[in-house]
Amino acid sequence: MTLFPAVVEAHLAVLLIVVPLIAAPLCSLLRRESLAWIFAAAVSVVCLALAVAILGQVMANGPIAYEMGGWASPWGIEFRIDRLNAFVLVIVSAIAAVVMWYAHGSVRAEIGGDQQPHYYTLYLLCLTGLLGVTATGDAFNLFVFLEISSLSSYVLISLGAGRDRRALTAAFTYLVMGTIGATFYVIGIGLLYMVTGTLNMADLAVRLAPLADNTTVLAGFAFIMVGLSLKLALFPLHLWLPNAYTYAPSAVTAFLAATATKVAVYVLLRFLFTVFGTDYLFEELTLNGFLLPLAVIAMFIPSLVAIFQTNIKRMLAYSSVAQLGYMVLGLSFASITGVTATVIHLFNHAVTKGGLFMALGAVLLRTGGVSLQNMAGLGRQMPLTMAAFVVGGFSLIGVPTTVGFISKWYLILAALEDGRWPIAFLILASSLLAVIYIWRVVEVAYFQPALEGRKIEEAPLSYLIPTWLLIGASLYFGVDATYTLEVAGSAAAHLMGNGG
Amino acid sequence: MTAHDAILLSLSIPLAGAGLIALFGVRPNLRETVTLITAGALFATVATLYPVVTAGELPSVTLFEMLPGLSISFEVEPLGMMFALIASFLWIVTTIYAIGYMRGHHEENQTRFYAFFAIAIAATMGVAFAGNMLTLFIFYEILTLSTFPLVTHAGTDEAKRAGRVYLGILLGTSIGLQLLAMIATWAIAGTLEFQEGGILDGNITGPAVGILLAMYVFGIGKAAVMPFHRWLPAAMVAPTPVSALLHAVAVVKAGVFTVLKVTVYIFGIDFLRNLDVTQWLQIAAAATIVLGSLVAMTKDNLKARLAYSTISQLGYVVLGAMLVTPLAIVGSGMHIAMHAFGKITLFFCAGAIMVASHKSEISQMRGLGRAMPYTMAAFFIGSLSIIGLPPMGGLWSKWYLVLGALDAQQVWLVVVLMLSSVLNIAYLLPIPFRAFFSTPNGDTETAGIKEAPTACLIAIGITSVGCIVLFLFPDAVYNLLQPITGP
């Protein structure tokens, strides 16, 4: 079964990047918000269709290797898509399409009139960058796309300044930290290039294998690792994230929270397991001795901090940092089950957090704020929005029948297979912290009476439908996880070099 | 109707009922009719499975695969059959009672109350019929979450605090210990199916077995083994029908039922019998039995006293499971049934007293027997059953538990059981005696108090008669449960 004509099918990999890349400047020519929205929404739907087609192709025929402009790798730039990045491409483009639907109302409510069309241009650019990072098989090309996505997201975050000027400092902090991260990454790539003379990831993997004792390689690895950790907000390099998520417009937060850090995790997976390989990292460098404690701390401290936040958006931002801890924990086991847990959590957390931030956007729209006090009485006044929030909260906790449960299941299974009982227990203990920070909100929303004289209606359908699409997905794939697990499991097996 | 359909209907009837209740929320009469019809239909459906199970079959349904190799599936075995029959039957009675109580007490948000009640019953059916540990766990958690709005029904600060304790302990133990134990079981045995003889035998040895069993027993927080019992007294802020059906029958019995399922079908009786670890858990259960009774004696609030009494009685079931002799296991299972009828009667009476006289403290109930003779007589019947005296059903389950303890050569546990019966007498019987034989004094004015609403009295009558019927015909329960201990 093919979605597109044969000529398109042959060039899916590059079209996925080219379409939004060309659409972005075209979008900036549209002066009216509605036109820009319709155009950008159409593009994001096309991207989703392309990504789904790619996943179908990869699942059926194995990895796609696309040589850009016909230049053979390793000289030319190569797009290489296996099950892992095909899955990530679908996650990113699906979230982008759903959030785009949501953006229409949210942008008009939260961003100044003349800036509204810019939003869609930047959104498409950011999408291009994220898809490019995921699809490319070239380490330097990855840097280029990383910068496209980062630069556009700095601006997207600063668009929140219309409502709260602190968005500007948040964006500036992110700019500084993000640039340091990107610079570290490119230094690392430079060092690797110095030793191997190649930038193609597959080629790097082959050439790095015999260089285990080389200090330059080690330094390169360290730079790449730190750079990526900054990008994915691995504790304690997460400082940019809470402010950026808090002050960005709702649609931006929902989109970035669900995609940007996930893509960074993907890049980390790619470098750890494809480029450097488990033998080098986990046998010789005993990397898990370093990653494991870091991940466990990342699960706890941000969760504890989240408990004391009064701004709910910031609370969820800290929760995201904790969730990234789970992802890093999964991959630090360097087992197929562990990597499966990470990959499935990429998807599971994306739908959950996306849905939660969209629900908060509705609260912002109706009450004018997202602090704890704004939630008073909303359980009655905005029942559907709050129900979405509660279900999303359940998923963060890991209640069965939500996707969060599936992630926890695999993560714990990976810990037990590795013989690490205490870690398994810590994973569960940290999910209980999520109970506390979610329940604070539930209590205020359902037990406190609404503020005096405050008349609030349920959010409009343009908010509710996309929110419930993602929350619904977090329920559906929590009950029937066989397909997502098949993809994630085979992607993990392939990544670990065991067929697929 | 095939057994297959009956299983699926048992789950969907209460859920559909919840939907209809929400739909007809603005018309109380219609809403409560719907609840009654739903409860009746559920019991009728569950009852059709009874002959199938007594014939020795284990009807099962597999819905779909949730995780690779792990399905949502249901299988009706004797223990689950009994639990589902009790819960669905008592739901009818409780609904009759609730109509009288909720109206008599002028409670608000009654639609939410009936709707979540129906969801909780659906979750109970899921627990009863679960075919593997994963399915059971899912419904166990749904039961916790769906009863939260019932516990915090009043919406006061006190209810909110109680809700925190309730959720904190139940979610904390189930996620922190039970889920871990379950995933460990999956990692060790490669299956979570409930199978005769268990799934762990031969896959695990040494102290790990003990740790795993302890994680299950304490992780099943609904069984209220001390020190994880605090949620049950906290849950007493709920309206009395909730305390009666959910916190004396459905929720707590789901806990001890799970303990029994794990003992019999995950570990296996033969496997556990030869292990020392059960002794430590026997001690924990025995401590819960005695301490629960002792604390109950200090409580003047009637519902609080009954709550601690429940904690103590749940200890019996856990104790029976940990004795792992056939007689003790059957005794445990029977105790689920016997205690259900006895305790629900007592809670119904407590609620009736509250509605009719607005009294909640035992010290205020002197002489109340003259004003509320039926209620207090029923309280006496329920008390006798809890104590385990003839002519009440409670006698039989204690009988088999004692036999089981002797079988396991644990004479000290026989002493514990006897001691507990004495304590039961001490904290339960004075209440009806004082109500009938003491004269009211200054602050226990009974003038102007009339009997409880008729709907409440009907319900109380049914469960009281149930206690006596169970004394006369214990064979039905015994014969149903006997096969679970193996040939």
Side-chain angles (χ1 to χ4, degrees), chain B residues 113-259:
Chain B
F113 172 85
Y114 286 110
F116 276 105
F117 213 118
I119 296 173
I121 295 294
T124 308
M125 294 300 130
V127 170
F129 290 159
N132 59 37
M133 193 62 208
L134 177 71
T135 311
L136 195 153
F137 181 76
I138 289 169
F139 284 101
Y140 180 100
E141 294 293 50
I142 294 175
L143 186 56
T144 304
L145 295 171
S146 59
T147 46
F148 177 81
L150 296 171
V151 169
T152 57
H153 185 81
T156 56
D157 278 345
E158 190 200 354
K160 191 165 81 178
R161 272 196 301 278
R164 280 184 197 163
V165 176
Y166 186 77
L167 210 64
I169 294 181
L170 289 184
L171 277 186
T173 50
S174 65
I175 291 180
L177 295 170
Q178 192 186 342
L179 177 58
L180 186 57
M182 178 170 68
I183 299 178
T185 307
W186 167 249
I188 292 164
T191 176
L192 288 175
E193 297 297 316
F194 291 126
Q195 275 171 22
E196 202 171 310
I199 55 177
L200 284 170
D201 195 1
N203 292 321
I204 178 173
T205 49
V209 189
I211 296 172
L212 195 62
L213 183 63
M215 283 198 319
Y216 271 117
V217 171
F218 289 107
I220 300 165
K222 291 195 170 98
V225 177
M226 285 183 181
F228 297 117
H229 65 286
R230 286 279 313 142
W231 64 271
L232 187 53
M236 292 300 137
V237 298
T240 304
V242 175
S243 307
L245 183 58
L246 297 177
H247 298 118
V249 182
V251 174
V252 290
K253 296 295 151 53
V256 288
F257 170 77
T258 310
V259 172

Side-chain angles (χ1 to χ4, degrees), chain A residues 205-229:
Chain A
V206 176
R207 284 165 198 268
L208 282 173
L211 294 173
D213 299 326
N214 190 312
T215 16
T216 316
V217 173
L218 187 60
F221 169 71
F223 271 108
I224 291 174
M225 185 71 206
V226 174
L228 291 177
S229 300

Side-chain angles (χ1 to χ4, degrees), chain B residues 62 70 132-133 166 175 290 311 340 346 358 378 387 407 421 442 447 456 477:
Chain B
T62 300
L70 273 172
N132 59 37
M133 193 62 208
Y166 186 77
I175 291 180
V290 176
I311 293 172
L346 295 183
H358 303 288
I387 297 162
D407 222 16
S421 291
C456 293
V477 186

Side-chain angles (χ1 to χ4, degrees), chain A residues 7 26 57 90 129 137 154 198 210 246 255 272 304 317 342 376 388 403 419 429 438 448 475 487:
Chain A
V7 58
L26 290 178
Q57 223 178 63
V90 170
Y154 305 144
T198 184
T246 310
F255 179 58
L272 291 186
L304 284 171
T342 302
V403 285
I438 292 298
Q448 281 190 15
L475 283 174
V487 178

Side-chain angles (χ1 to χ4, degrees), chain A residues 409 428 439 443 478-479 481 485, chain B residues 64 66-67 70 148 164 167:
Chain A
W409 182 279
L428 292 165
W439 225 254
E443 283 188 353
V479 175
L485 273 169
Chain B
F64 54 84
M66 175 168 163
L67 296 162
L70 273 172
F148 177 81
R164 280 184 197 163
L167 210 64

